[in-house]
Amino acid sequence: MLTLEAKKSALGFSLIELIIAIAIVGLVSAIAMPGYATWIKNSRVRTAAESIQNGLQTARAEAVKRNSQIEFKLDPAMNSTWEINLCSVSSAGVRACNTLLENRRASEGSSTTITVVATPSTSKSIVFNNFGSVIADPVPFSELGISLSGADRPLIVTLGVGGNTRLCDPSTSLAASDPRRC
């Protein structure tokens, strides 16, 4: 047979215990929220940077696969939006890149508030030849700086003349030997 004290402990927890538990959860949430918001913004930057890097790699692979010129173009109005176009060259040597092969909108897993800055800043597109190398006309970008207001980890996508891409972190807090550092 249960004693009076055993019956009370079997009934659950008191209102005071419930209020204390809710207060502790609220306090921990309030402390963690600023860090969580920054983490979400950094994740958006990484998603956009990886999307752009994957788009560049896809465009290069398509150029080799199709034995043709392929254009990778960033949308100037929507920074992390990009598209891959098949180019045709006329007998007069005029290049027209208007056959859409693939595209990615900023609303597809990224953020419309991402800022992408090309170097040189006048360039928003790049054309790969059938060997996967970069064509110098028009002047291609050599790197893309990707950032978001409130995020503390901007990223850079670099593009070599041979068409190879690299995603790196410009942070000075990384060691010089760290492979993630630019």
Side-chain angles (χ1 to χ4, degrees), residues 85-100:
N85 298 308
L86 176 64
C87 301
S88 58
V89 181
S90 70
S91 58
V94 177
R95 180 185 316 124
C97 303
N98 50 16
T99 305
L100 181 67

Side-chain angles (χ1 to χ4, degrees), residues 96-179:
C97 303
N98 50 16
T99 305
L100 181 67
L101 298 176
E102 188 177 337
N103 65 355
R104 171 73 130 221
R105 300 288 164 228
S107 59
E108 297 176 26
S110 186
S111 175
T112 56
T113 57
I114 294 286
T115 303
V116 179
V117 178
T119 304
S121 60
T122 56
S123 178
K124 287 289 186 177
S125 70
I126 192 162
V127 178
F128 294 97
N129 66 13
N130 56 340
F131 296 115
S133 296
V134 177
I135 295 176
D137 180 36
V139 176
F141 53 81
S142 58
E143 71 178 35
L144 298 170
I146 297 132
S147 62
L148 175 65
S149 177
D152 59 359
R153 299 292 299 261
L155 295 173
I156 294 176
V157 175
T158 61
L159 183 70
V161 176
N164 56 325
T165 61
R166 180 173 178 253
L167 181 63
C168 60
D169 189 342
S171 174
T172 56
S173 64
L174 296 172
S177 60
D178 194 327

